[in-house]
Every structure is written in C-alpha cells, then in structure tokens.
Amino acid sequence: MPEPTAGARTHRLRVVEVIAETADAYSLVLRTPPESTGRFAYRPGQFLTLKLPGAGGEAVARCYSLASSPHTGEPLKVTVKRVAGGYGSNWVCDRVVAGDELEVLPPAGTFTPSDLDADLLLVAGGSGITPVLSITKSALARGGGRVTLLYANRDETSVIFRDELRELSEEHPDRLLAIHWLESLQGLPVADRLSAALAPYADREVFVCGPGPMMDSAEQCLRALGTPGGRIHRERFFSLSGDVFDAPAPAPAAGECGPVEGGSTVEVELDGETRTAVWPPGTPLLDVLLAAGVEAPYSCREGACSACTCRVVAGEVKMLRNEILDDQDIAEGYVLACQAVPLTDEVEITYS
Ligand SMILES: Cc1cc2nc3c(=O)[nH]c(=O)nc-3n(C[C@H](O)[C@H](O)[C@H](O)COP(=O)(O)OP(=O)(O)OC[C@H]3O[C@@H](n4cnc5c(N)ncnc54)[C@H](O)[C@@H]3O)c2cc1C
Ligand code: FES
C-alpha cells in the first residue's frame, strides 16, 4: 500500500467489511495500512473525511464520525445514513463493497470529552449516534463515570446500533442508562417533552449530536434546567463544499523565521516537532504553516469542520470565522488555524 504522495493529504484505507445496520444505514469497517497507523490515532467523537468521486470526476469531501472506540481494540468504523437526494451518502451506501480502498483524511474534530471519568449525558438523534456511541464505549472501557444516553429515532426500525447498545447496557447495568425515544410513540423530542427525561442529569457534561431542530430542543431544555452553555457540546452534521484535498496556494510573505516588518512570530508544536515561522498580519495561521512546509491538518478551510483545531499556549489570536468551536473550547484556548490571525507579536501554538 503506497504512502500518500508528496503534497497529497489522504491515506488509502481498505474497506474490510460493510455492515447493513438498518435499511438505510451502512457501516464501513476500515483497515489502516501499517505506515499510516500513527496518523489514525483518534479520540472518541472524532470524524474522518472521505474523498469520493463526484459525478463529473471531481473530488467530493464528506465527513463521517467514527462509531468505533479507540479504547476497545476494535477497528476503525464509520456509519453512513442515506440522505434523501444526497450525493455522497447514497454513493457510499450503493457503491462501496468489502475489498475497496477509500482515500481518507486523518481523524479530526473537537467533539470529545476532556475527561472520560466524568459522568456524561449524551443526546443523539438518528445518525448522530455515531460519535456518541464512540464516546459511550470509550467512557465505559476507559473511564469510571456513569453515562446516560437519550437516543431519538423515528421508529424502532430506524434505531442504528440497537443490539450493541443493549449489550453495553447489560454489561454495564450500573454505569450505562440508554433511554430510547421513538417519535412514532412519544412524538417529536421537543424541549418541554425532553425535560423530565433530562432533568436528573442536567448537571453533567453534555454531548449532543443529531438533526438541527433536535439539538436546538435539547439545548433549550438543558439551559432551562440550568446547564451552563459551556457544558453543552454539539456536533453539527453538514456536507463540505469544494475540493478540500487539493494543496492550497502558498501564503504571501510567509516563510521560516526571520524579521519581516509587521509580522508576528509563531512557534508551533506538531507531531513532536517545534517549528517557527513568520506570521504576517491578517493571514490565517494554516496558510502560513502550509507555505512553510508544515503538514498541518485541515479540511474545509471555512471555519466549519474543526479539522484544523489547535491550541494557543502563549500570545493572542482572533478567529475571522468560527461555526464550530463552542465557548468552552475557546475558553480552553482552542482556535481554528484556518481562521486564526495574530494579535500579538509572539504566539505559541500546540496541536497536541
Ligand atoms: C463532523 C461531521 C460528522 C458527520 N458524521 C456523519 C455520520 O457519522 N454519519 C452520517 O450519515 N453523516 C455524517 N455527517 C454528514 C455527512 O458528512 C453528509 O453531510 C451527509 O452524508 C449528506 O451528504 P450527501 O452527499 O448524501 O448529501 P448532499 O448531496 O450534501 O445533500 C444534502 C441535502 O441537500 C440537498 N441538496 C443537495 N444539493 C442541493 C441543491 N443543489 N439544491 C437544493 N438541495 C440540495 C439534498 O437533497 C439533501 O437533502 C457528518 C458531517 C460532519 C460535518
Ligand atoms: S479546516 Fe475546517 S475549520 Fe479549519
């Protein structure tokens, strides 16, 4: 299996199994080639970006959360649910078979608990279960806290991972409580209806993933119950636009360290190496790093996916756009490299 060619950012992963989870959701079990294994270490809740061939031969990028856990020894697994009229999800569900190779960007994302020992409240709707299942399994395998999962679906036939969740509940009766919410029986999970189910757990760290209106209802309900906004983490599913796989044009006036008028200096720690570069005012950090030959991670370059997230250790930056990091992430120093511009002369950044 070849390493990605110079400048290419994807790795080729073998599909070893395709599992029909429900009538319209399929899991792909993926094998990482030995030379790429290190790049595919991940945290529970993170996602992969798949490179799919578009109808006109162009590359189409689609993100899929890992439903597997990095703490149980299982292989990488993503789960794709068909979207009516959608290109990528139907392409995957119709075309991908065991033995295929897919081009994939390494794991990314910030929808991940900082402490697996904490008690957690997880709220999922439909295919939003994928990152939430990874967090559930990881907390049970690695942590010591209790996990309550409220999982909303249209009806019984659309519940992805029903058997796996039942087995986990049987294995961990004192730690996992899985509450199924079926719209066919209980109606839509709107805020006032959710209140009784969520109230006992409203003091926990909360992770919510599902359709937009369901996430809004859960957040509205939790805020009314007194959960601080900073404790409510949301993962929004959307389709990337454009070709995120092409190497970007180098940024002007960027390069290795040296005095450049009006430029800041940035020291970046990534993959165990520390590099220094000049950071021109108004230029996104990601552009500076890529132009300096640093293999910094990214996907959308629009401030929407969190693949480029890094942390400010010293100095100050501002983000031009941010559609993904929440108040808690920002308070902890996380920024999007594709949107970060410098405010101080010296800035230190880490990707660890
Ligand atoms: C971090 C992240 C994690 C994700 N994880 C998962 C996951 O685990 N599982 C999962 O199933 N999905 C996941 N997604 C969503 C996934 O990336 C795709 O967005 C989803 O599969 C739909 O893609 P699609 O190509 O099928 O639909 P698209 O082709 O993008 O279409 C989406 C919708 O828009 C409509 N549409 C498309 N083009 C037009 C147009 N020109 N005019 C009007 N309407 C149009 C379509 O009819 C469809 O209803 C995730 C997304 C993100 C960002
Ligand atoms: S690359 Fe998507 S937010 Fe920066």
Side-chain angles (χ1 to χ4, degrees):
M1 196 87 53
E3 263 280 27
T5 51
R9 304 167 51 233
T10 56
H11 299 247
R12 298 180 79 83
L13 268 53
R14 174 85 63 188
V15 179
V16 290
E17 192 181 357
V18 177
I19 303 167
E21 302 285 0
T22 65
D24 59 3
Y26 292 81
S27 291
L28 310 181
V29 181
L30 303 167
R31 187 169 62 221
T32 319
E35 65 274 15
S36 299
T37 304
R39 297 304 303 268
F40 281 80
Y42 64 103
R43 297 197 295 277
Q46 290 196 304
F47 62 89
L48 301 179
T49 305
L50 273 49
K51 182 177 183 178
L52 309 175
E58 75 285 8
V60 171
R62 291 290 181 268
C63 304
Y64 292 104
S65 303
L66 287 152
S68 49
S69 162
H71 299 298
T72 55
E74 61 187 319
L76 297 178
K77 181 166 88 175
V78 292
T79 303
V80 181
K81 184 172 179 180
R82 289 184 193 275
V83 169
Y87 177 77
S89 59
N90 289 293
W91 191 93
V92 170
C93 292
D94 290 336
R95 304 282 194 94
V96 177
V97 294
D100 285 353
E101 276 188 346
L102 292 173
E103 284 191 65
V104 179
L105 290 180
T110 55
F111 186 68
T112 181
S114 54
D115 178 9
L116 285 176
D117 282 320
D119 289 345
L120 299 173
L121 171 60
L122 310 175
V123 183
S127 57
I129 189 65
T130 49
V132 165
L133 181 66
S134 179
I135 293 171
T136 302
K137 289 189 282 191
S138 302
L140 294 174
R142 183 53 77 88
R146 289 165 300 162
V147 179
T148 296
L149 161 64
L150 184 135
Y151 181 19
N153 280 285
R154 229 178 16 248
D155 54 38
E156 212 172 325
T157 62
S158 51
V159 181
I160 310 173
F161 306 128
R162 188 183 40 199
D163 294 345
E164 193 171 355
L165 283 169
R166 198 189 50 240
E167 282 161 24
L168 285 169
S169 300
E170 286 168 4
E171 276 169 38
H172 303 277
D174 302 331
R175 294 186 55 209
L176 174 62
L177 173 63
I179 304 168
H180 288 276
W181 182 288
L182 299 180
E183 280 172 38
S184 55
L185 298 177
Q186 289 147 287
L188 283 173
V190 292
D192 53 346
R193 288 188 192 147
L194 285 173
S195 193
L198 300 186
Y201 317 104
D203 58 342
R204 298 183 181 181
E205 202 74 18
V206 189
F207 291 81
V208 187
C209 184
M214 191 222 74
M215 292 204 291
D216 291 346
S217 297
E219 180 162 359
Q220 193 188 333
C221 167
L222 287 162
R223 283 182 181 255
L225 290 168
T227 311
R231 294 182 75 103
I232 305 173
H233 310 276
R234 297 169 52 138
E235 182 77 314
R236 188 170 70 87
F237 284 2
F238 63 96
S239 292
L240 298 182
S241 56
D243 182 355
V244 303
F245 304 102
D246 267 355
E256 290 299 306
C257 190
V260 166
E261 206 169 323
S264 304
T265 301
V266 60
E267 193 180 284
V268 177
E269 197 256 303
L270 172 66
D271 290 339
E273 267 185 60
T274 301
R275 302 279 295 270
T276 305
V278 171
W279 190 355
T283 304
L285 173 62
L286 179 67
D287 294 13
V288 172
L289 297 180
L290 295 173
V294 178
E295 279 192 36
Y298 67 91
S299 186
C300 72
R301 305 188 81 192
E302 294 170 2
C305 77
S306 78
C308 62
T309 304
C310 54
R311 194 161 52 83
V312 177
V313 181
E316 278 181 50
V317 310
K318 79 168 180 186
M319 283 188 279
L320 301 172
R321 193 173 167 203
N322 168 32
E323 292 185 26
I324 190 85
L325 297 184
D326 59 31
D327 294 345
Q328 178 77 20
D329 295 327
I330 292 167
E332 289 171 12
Y334 290 102
V335 292
L336 302 171
C338 73
Q339 300 298 322
V341 296
L343 292 182
T344 50
D345 288 344
E346 311 226 325
V347 182
E348 275 177 51
I349 297 282
T350 179
Y351 280 85
S352 57

